[in-house]
Amino acid sequence: MEAEANSGSPEDSWAFIQRPGEGCRTVPLAGHVGFDSLPDQLVNKSVSQGFCFNILCVGETGLGKSTLMDTLFNTKFEGEPATHTQPGVQLRSSTYDLQESNVGLKLTIVSTVGFGDQINKEDSYKPIVEFIDAQFEAYLQEELKIRRVLHTYHDSRIHACLYFIAPTGHSLKSLDLVTMKKLDSKVNIIPIIAKSDAISKSELTKFKIKITSELVSNGVQIYQFPTDDESVAEINGTMNAHLPFAVIGSTEELKIGNKMMKARQYPWGTVQVENEAHCDFVKLREMLIRVNMEDLREQTHSRHYELYRRCKLEEMGFKDTDPDSKPFSLQETYEAKRNEFLGELQKKEEEMRQMFVQRVKEKEAELKEAEKELHEKFDRLKKLHQDEKKKLEDKKKSLDDEVNAFKQRKTAAELLQSQGSQAGGSQTLKRDKEKKNLGFL
């Protein structure tokens, strides 16, 4: 039903329509208002702020990760070539500011240096998982701040993971399966066969089927291009059937016909990078950059980051509902966790106090035992000193007795000697006197 309002009333320019089968009333506008320009406003604001996109390149050394990045963005990124002598897996991150038309893009490329080069590859995936979680944690900490600046925050979360598979032509390596299984819940994985010109076309088709079968059988969830949007549903549905993409990278341009094209020159012929009959490079570029870049960013935030955030908050004790399935107040949860934390803190403080008292008692017992040992040692030394002193005194007394006896013997000897000398002198005088008397006669 449609009715026009009377002239002069506040509803002069409105027409009211009741749609059949609906319990709401819509009010179409008789004149142009202007909110249809809202998408243009969003576009202008987004263009002025710029965009960011972060790519993680995972693969063994020598599979052409850096070359493919240069080819994808048609530029030469600075970087040092990696060697096979790395003691462990290291992640090297580089950020570049790109400009195409009037759109700015802050591109971050993260490469895995030394991946698959170690003899023991058991823990090769751990540095990658830790790096991805570290970016999620940094964003979560920024969200939890009292004063947030998310509009100027450099989002370093990984939006796409290009997993480079060696062109063996047989099957996936155990390292590839384990790594992708650990990463599929944290990042959008797009598997690609690197240096696909190393195997024949028939082998490549069988290799793709084998890879897809192994991923499904091992429960590895790779990124599927979205088909819910009608504008891209057909092309994304077609491209999902081509996964994993077989790609070739090259920064060398060769003249083919009348055009300069990126290609690789071999003794047996030329492989054109942008020729879809030779490889899937164009498909990868279209799906990754032109068609689904925003969906990769959205999936990173709404799926992978939300999963990390939920698990992190649940570890801290925060939940949406209580055991009775009733909504849980964040304030009540905070107060409960705070009281629980204070209780645990007091408990630990009491345990530490008891432990301190116990340690003090043990230390006092040790000191008393040491003091007792010192007293016993002092008594032993004192007794030993007294015994030595007594022995010395006895020895001194015996020496004094010997000295006195010696002096007595010496005195007696001197007396005898003096008496003997006196007796000898008298006898000499008597003989001289007798001789004198005889001479007078």
Side-chain angles (χ1 to χ4, degrees), residues 294-408:
E294 180 57 30
D295 184 74
L296 287 164
R297 287 157 43 91
E298 183 182 351
Q299 286 291 322
T300 299
H301 181 80
S302 62
R303 180 186 170 193
H304 301 296
Y305 170 70
E306 285 298 324
L307 176 61
Y308 175 84
R309 177 179 175 275
R310 185 182 69 203
C311 294
K312 197 72 175 180
L313 293 179
E314 286 178 353
E315 288 178 4
M316 298 168 63
F318 294 96
K319 296 180 180 179
D320 293 332
T321 57
D322 59 10
D324 298 331
S325 298
K326 296 181 179 179
F328 221 49
S329 171
L330 182 62
Q331 181 66 25
E332 292 178 0
T333 305
Y334 169 75
E335 292 294 337
K337 294 301 295 182
R338 184 173 183 273
N339 294 333
E340 181 182 352
F341 174 75
L342 291 177
E344 292 179 356
L345 185 63
Q346 292 177 356
K347 183 179 178 181
K348 289 182 179 180
E349 185 178 353
E350 181 65 22
E351 291 177 355
M352 292 180 66
R353 191 182 68 81
Q354 294 292 340
M355 184 181 297
F356 176 74
V357 172
Q358 183 66 24
R359 293 291 298 272
V360 169
K361 289 182 179 179
E362 292 176 358
K363 197 66 178 179
E364 287 180 351
E366 291 178 1
L367 291 174
K368 287 181 179 179
E369 186 68 24
E371 185 180 4
K372 182 179 179 182
E373 292 178 358
L374 287 174
H375 281 298
E376 291 177 353
K377 186 176 181 180
F378 175 75
D379 293 338
R380 288 197 302 269
L381 291 174
K382 186 177 180 181
K383 184 178 180 182
L384 181 62
H385 177 262
Q386 290 176 352
D387 293 341
E388 291 290 335
K389 184 178 180 181
K390 185 177 180 181
K391 289 180 181 180
L392 289 173
E393 289 178 352
D394 293 342
K395 192 172 183 180
K396 181 181 178 183
K397 185 178 180 182
S398 62
L399 287 174
D400 290 339
D401 293 341
E402 290 180 2
V403 169
N404 292 332
F406 176 74
K407 288 181 178 180
Q408 290 177 1

Side-chain angles (χ1 to χ4, degrees), residues 139 208 426:
Y139 192 88
K208 283 188 175 185
S426 62

Side-chain angles (χ1 to χ4, degrees), residues 63-230:
L63 287 181
K65 299 186 291 294
S66 300
T67 304
L68 183 64
M69 290 296 102
D70 293 345
T71 312
L72 270 176
F73 293 94
N74 195 25
T75 186
K76 179 63 177 177
F77 297 117
E78 297 180 359
E80 299 178 358
T83 63
H84 293 271
T85 58
Q86 299 292 333
V89 180
Q90 300 176 356
L91 278 84
R92 184 184 298 167
S93 177
S94 301
T95 302
Y96 309 93
D97 291 322
L98 305 181
Q99 185 81 19
E100 186 174 20
S101 298
N102 64 331
V103 179
L105 178 67
K106 186 180 288 291
L107 176 67
T108 300
I109 299 176
V110 183
S111 59
T112 53
V113 180
F115 182 78
D117 290 340
Q118 296 74 35
I119 296 176
N120 184 4
K121 303 178 178 62
E122 183 178 359
D123 298 331
S124 296
Y125 67 89
K126 287 186 177 180
I128 305 174
V129 173
E130 292 172 356
F131 179 85
I132 296 174
D133 287 343
Q135 312 316 309
F136 284 152
E137 182 65 23
Y139 192 88
L140 178 61
Q141 292 299 323
E142 184 65 27
E143 273 193 336
L144 296 177
K145 286 183 179 179
I146 297 176
R147 294 184 178 180
R148 300 181 297 179
V149 286
L150 293 176
H151 61 284
T152 59
Y153 176 75
H154 178 212
D155 187 3
S156 59
R157 296 173 297 176
I158 301 300
H159 299 125
C161 171
L162 297 182
Y163 197 96
F164 289 70
I165 300 171
T168 60
H170 299 289
S171 61
L172 286 173
K173 298 180 181 179
S174 300
L175 174 63
D176 297 331
L177 285 173
V178 171
T179 304
M180 281 193 278
K181 184 63 178 175
K182 294 293 182 181
L183 296 179
D184 63 355
S185 62
K186 298 180 178 295
V187 70
N188 302 311
I189 300 177
I190 301 177
I192 58 177
I193 302 173
K195 296 185 175 181
S196 60
D197 54 341
I199 53 179
S200 65
K201 192 171 183 179
S202 60
E203 289 176 341
L204 186 59
T205 304
K206 295 178 182 178
F207 191 33
K208 283 188 175 185
I209 297 173
K210 183 67 174 178
I211 291 174
T212 304
S213 174
E214 290 183 345
L215 292 176
V216 172
S217 62
N218 288 276
V220 178
Q221 299 293 327
I222 63 174
Y223 175 74
Q224 295 291 322
F225 302 116
T227 56
D228 51 354
D229 187 354
E230 295 180 358

